[in-house]
Amino acid sequence: MYSSQHPDKAIEVSPNWLHNSEAILTGAVSPSIGSFDKAVNLINKGIVDTSPFVSAVFDFHDSQKAFEESLQKENFRVVVKF
């Protein structure tokens, strides 16, 4: 499961299922520079499709509007194209 969820809603996990399945539930943060580089390359090559996470795309000349949109709770990611 990806750790950053929007909106932040609680999830239910059955303690019995967790025990019986021997699944491991782990949270993590602080990725390395290497993992960031790999992620950027995967996105750049089109291997990972980020479009489901992008709420809006703006041209550089509309940066002010992009910043305003990025403050709206319903938006997950706003992209500014240069």
Side-chain angles (χ1 to χ4, degrees):
M1 176 181 295
Y2 178 65
S3 64
S4 179
Q5 300 295 316
H6 179 79
D8 182 16
K9 292 184 180 180
I11 60 170
E12 286 189 30
V13 176
S14 162
N16 286 333
W17 171 84
L18 193 58
H19 171 78
N20 293 331
S21 69
E22 297 184 7
I24 298 171
L25 183 59
T26 305
V29 70
S30 298
S32 68
I33 292 172
S35 65
F36 180 80
D37 186 56
K38 287 178 188 176
V40 169
N41 284 319
L42 290 170
I43 293 167
N44 188 49
K45 292 176 182 175
I47 296 169
V48 174
D49 177 18
T50 59
S51 63
F53 307 109
V54 177
S55 300
V57 178
F58 292 89
D59 185 73
F60 173 73
H61 300 292
D62 296 322
S63 295
Q64 182 62 41
K65 183 164 175 58
F67 288 118
E68 291 168 5
E69 283 295 312
S70 71
L71 297 174
Q72 302 303 311
K73 289 182 181 180
E74 66 272 10
N75 291 331
F76 185 60
R77 293 288 188 264
V78 174
V79 174
V80 176
K81 292 177 120 183
F82 291 89

